[in-house]
Amino acid sequence: METTRAGRPRLTERRRPGTTAREEILDAAGELFTTRGYASTSTRAIAEAVGIRQASLYHYFKTKDELLSALLHQTVTPTLTFLSALQRADPEPAAAQCLHALAAFDGAQLLTSRWNLGALYLLPELREARLATFWTERERLRLAYLDLSRSILTTTGVADDAADLPFRLVESLVNMWSQPPQPDHATLAGHVADACLRVLGVIDGALPALRTSTHHYLAHFGPARVGHL
Amino acid sequence: METTRAGRPRLTERRRPGTTAREEILDAAGELFTTRGYASTSTRAIAEAVGIRQASLYHYFKTKDELLSALLHQTVTPTLTFLSALQRADPEPAAAQCLHALAAFDGAQLLTSRWNLGALYLLPELREARLATFWTERERLRLAYLDLSRSILTTTGVADDAADLPFRLVESLVNMWSQPPQPDHATLAGHVADACLRVLGVIDGALPALRTSTHHYLAHFGPARVGHL
């Protein structure tokens, strides 16, 4: 890694994806936190990786925790936005349609993120109260999965203990990211969406129609990068 | 936490579970790595948490990496031993029986560990070559799941992309450990075993017989703490 003195002026050309300095900083923090570790990464190292002064970084983020919090929100916010769009769709999707599309979208988000941000969920530092807003949003997402799952379980008769598994199954994609890259992440997210329905006891015959509706919802409400699922 | 000077002699009474100093050291390391973080924990802090001198700790483990490696092996070795016993059983279990019992055992191991050691899998430090023997064993376990899954997929006709999901589903229990404790982890592991078969397209009608065979295998080859599944 190239090092710069703290007083060095901003390099003219940008080194990282992102149209704003804030996005570049987040990208650098994402890289360093997930490859070197959170505790081992200083805000100075992040500023150096972007090519800005540490003082400039503080203009955007007061602490390392603030950076972590912003990164973690990136893993949840797009999915919550997609879910809201789904729930406002006309006609309203059935629970099975909603869960299938949600899992496909959420899974693709986790798999296609530039850094494996989901791997940060298990950091001991994450239990700190300062990250409470992130945990609240993530819990909101988990409860949305749970509501949809429970509604499906009443139709299949599978035990309620399975209700949390779709959320966990999607979350487990974090561990698949960290392996050598899969040839086709979008396909994988689609299979995980199928698996979410299967763990709730939905039979194979119902899946082709769900894949069709998910394709439709992703095309309408999903960002371009997961729209080809 | 009680602190001691490095030169303080070993306390007479043991503070931690384990019949040997080695086990007590591993227990303390498990606690500190999973609650404070790996990078933030020194071998001195571990020695202090056990109530021994740092020099005594080095008698058992030369480096912090060695401690991490030993802890990680604890998460895989019992499951590999159980799997070997399963595969030598007479009559030989069918792939579905084998996978169901394996998932129930492995899941219970992950959920009932005193510290959430599985959460350490995603540490950036784990990519270090020094932990290669751990990765080899974990990969061996993953491939065993994969073989069983593929064998089951040939009978259900579900796409091969689902083959890695049972391993990931069990692994996701690491994220359920880190939530407030579940009332009954053994039941949960059993449901995850069912879910592993469901994601491969096995229908509900086949599950009661699999639960019976898993109950039998755990009683015969499982340690006492998961035998009540």
Side-chain angles (χ1 to χ4, degrees), chain A residues 32-40 116 118-125 127 135 138-139 142 156-162 164-165 168-169 171-179 182 184 187-188 191-192 195-196 198-201 203-204, chain B residues 32-40 116 118-125 127 135 138-139 142 156-162 164-165 168-169 171-179 182 184 187-188 191-192 195-196 198-201 203-204:
Chain A
L32 295 175
F33 291 167
T34 57
T35 57
R36 291 189 189 176
Y38 180 74
S40 313
N116 195 14
L120 301 172
Y121 293 158
L122 295 171
L123 280 176
E125 291 86 349
R127 299 188 198 118
W135 282 121
R138 193 166 147 72
E139 188 62 9
R142 192 178 77 86
T156 62
V158 167
D160 187 66
D161 307 66
D164 206 29
L165 297 179
R168 299 303 169 185
L169 199 50
E171 185 177 56
S172 75
L173 290 173
V174 163
N175 296 316
M176 297 173 88
W177 189 102
S178 66
Q179 306 299 317
Q182 303 288 320
D184 192 340
T187 307
L188 181 59
H191 285 291
V192 168
C196 286
R198 286 200 180 99
V199 300
L200 301 175
I203 55 168
D204 279 22
Chain B
L32 295 175
F33 290 167
T34 56
T35 57
R36 290 189 189 178
Y38 180 75
S40 313
N116 195 14
L120 302 172
Y121 293 158
L122 294 171
L123 280 177
E125 292 85 349
R127 300 189 198 118
W135 283 121
R138 191 166 148 72
E139 188 61 9
R142 193 177 77 86
T156 62
V158 166
D160 188 67
D161 307 66
D164 205 28
L165 296 180
R168 299 302 170 186
L169 199 49
E171 186 176 56
S172 75
L173 290 174
V174 162
N175 295 316
M176 295 174 89
W177 189 102
S178 66
Q179 304 301 315
Q182 303 288 320
D184 192 341
T187 306
L188 181 59
H191 285 292
V192 169
C196 286
R198 286 202 181 97
V199 300
L200 301 175
I203 55 168
D204 280 22

Side-chain angles (χ1 to χ4, degrees), chain A residues 48-84:
Chain A
E48 282 176 356
V50 180
I52 60 174
R53 286 173 300 141
Q54 204 174 357
S56 311
L57 186 148
Y58 289 141
H59 175 71
Y60 297 97
F61 300 97
K62 298 279 171 282
T63 63
K64 203 164 75 164
D65 266 8
E66 263 189 37
L67 270 164
L68 178 59
S69 180
L71 282 171
L72 291 171
H73 277 92
Q74 283 186 354
T75 69
V76 176
T77 309
T79 303
L80 286 172
T81 305
F82 177 73
L83 177 63
S84 298

